[in-house]
Amino acid sequence: LLGSIIEPAYETIINRIENPDAGIKFGIKDVDDLNGGITPGDVWILAARPSMGKTALLCNSALETAKLGNSVLIFSQEMNKQSLAERFLAIESSVPLTAIRLGLKQEEINLIAEKAKEFKSLPIYVDCTFGMSLNYMLSTIRKYHKHNGIKVVYLDYIQLLAERDSDQTAELGRISRALKLLAGELGIGIIILSQLNRLVESREDKRPILSDLRQAGTLEEDADIVMFLYRDEYYHENSKEKGVLELIVRKNRSGPIGTILTKINIVTNKISNY
């Protein structure tokens, strides 16, 4: 009966009003203000062309979400654990990523060491198994949900789970559907990063639109939120929007769509409110 779900829904609404900081936050204030954060069962798609900042956004979101006490699980098939760890350290310490990789001054070493200690208390779990299968991912999510209470899963990025052949589109659809069903079953949020095809580059305005996901299975249909990333300075050397990362929300089941402006420091990968 509808009446049986109204009462707990009402209690959730009141709790949200009385405790505005409760719930699962994405970690970027203006994004969380758009629809109240990540609803259990949600699947979000963060899509962009290469070098727009997808992995940087993942790392920033995971850090802020974990700082609020939510356990998160990251699947990264694009980078190994060392590279991912260096990104996290650069974001938290404000030490340039290139310096971390190529050589640090003593004061930078001290700062990195201090930040490294803080990470020990953060509930962030990482799986960088290359060539993982969908079944491996689903079973791993179940395991970490059961034993570590994970609230959010990040996948970087979905195309690496599917073979690059004529059936890739259908395979991506199967993967996204399986992740959507699992998110609903476990009551967790799943954030999926996705590449976009080169057709974006052929347009004068290179800001992505929903049709750019058409060759990515049923990502658009399965997603509760579809957000595209765009940096104007990547395409225009003399852009007036240097250091600006646009988060373009093209689909939002629970709220409005629109563009959110954030600041990105390419040197450290730190993303902050505009």
Side-chain angles (χ1 to χ4, degrees):
L1 290 176
L2 176 61
S4 66
I5 66 173
I6 289 294
E7 185 174 351
Y10 171 76
E11 292 175 354
T12 298
I13 293 169
I14 297 302
N15 182 62
R16 190 184 301 143
I17 295 171
E18 296 177 346
N19 302 283
D21 294 329
I24 308 170
K25 302 300 181 183
F26 181 73
I28 303 295
K29 184 180 184 301
D30 288 342
V31 175
D32 288 321
D33 287 345
L34 197 68
N35 66 342
I38 304 170
T39 300
D42 270 3
V43 168
W44 290 25
I45 303 296
L46 309 183
R49 291 291 293 150
S51 300
M52 287 296 110
K54 295 188 299 298
T55 304
L57 184 59
L58 179 157
C59 291
N60 279 267
S61 172
L63 273 172
E64 295 305 315
T65 299
K67 286 177 182 178
L68 292 172
N70 297 300
S71 297
V72 305
L73 172 61
I74 299 172
F75 290 102
S76 176
Q77 295 196 89
E78 188 175 38
M79 291 190 296
N80 57 34
K81 292 180 181 180
Q82 179 66 28
S83 298
L84 196 59
E86 288 171 355
R87 286 219 185 197
F88 277 120
L89 288 170
I91 291 169
E92 278 296 271
S93 67
S94 296
V95 174
L97 187 57
T98 52
I100 292 175
R101 292 177 175 172
L102 301 178
L104 294 166
K105 299 176 182 178
Q106 186 56 53
E107 58 267 28
E108 292 173 329
I109 294 175
N110 295 339
L111 185 55
I112 290 291
E114 180 182 340
K115 293 299 180 181
K117 294 178 183 178
E118 296 177 6
F119 275 98
K120 293 181 179 180
S121 62
L122 289 179
I124 300 177
Y125 303 91
V126 178
D127 189 320
C128 292
T129 303
F130 285 92
M132 70 177 70
S133 66
L134 174 61
N135 287 336
Y136 171 86
M137 176 177 289
L138 298 178
S139 64
T140 301
I141 292 173
R142 290 182 184 279
K143 180 179 72 174
Y144 276 88
H145 180 262
K146 179 179 180 180
H147 297 291
N148 304 100
I150 59 166
K151 298 293 185 181
V152 185
V153 174
Y154 297 85
L155 169 58
D156 186 11
Y157 55 91
I158 191 170
Q159 279 78 11
L160 292 176
L161 277 177
E163 295 291 335
R164 295 184 179 180
D165 54 28
S166 59
D167 293 328
Q168 185 184 43
T169 299
E171 179 64 9
L172 288 172
R174 188 175 75 88
I175 293 168
S176 67
R177 172 50 51 177
L179 291 172
K180 175 61 178 175
L181 292 174
L182 186 64
E185 176 190 337
L186 301 182
I188 62 176
I190 298 183
I191 312 294
I192 301 174
L193 273 59
S194 174
Q195 293 280 23
L196 295 176
N197 59 48
R198 292 185 178 88
L199 292 177
V200 178
E201 308 293 336
S202 64
R203 298 198 300 264
E204 183 176 349
D205 185 352
K206 294 176 173 54
R207 290 172 175 82
I209 56 179
L210 284 175
S211 60
D212 293 320
L213 279 175
R214 286 287 185 256
Q215 291 178 309
T218 57
L219 291 186
E220 179 190 342
E221 290 82 357
D222 292 331
D224 297 280
I225 286 184
V226 176
M227 185 186 302
F228 295 106
L229 285 69
Y230 174 82
R231 290 195 299 116
D232 193 68
E233 66 178 318
Y234 179 81
Y235 294 105
H236 305 105
E237 183 178 354
N238 297 320
S239 173
K240 297 179 181 180
E241 300 176 352
K242 292 188 180 298
V244 176
L245 171 63
E246 296 182 25
L247 304 180
I248 307 169
V249 181
R250 299 289 194 192
K251 177 182 178 181
N252 184 1
R253 288 195 207 275
S254 304
I257 60 174
T259 298
I260 295 169
L261 300 182
T262 64
K263 299 176 185 177
I264 183 169
N265 186 327
I266 298 300
V267 174
T268 64
N269 277 215
K270 177 69 174 180
I271 297 174
S272 55
N273 293 308
Y274 189 75

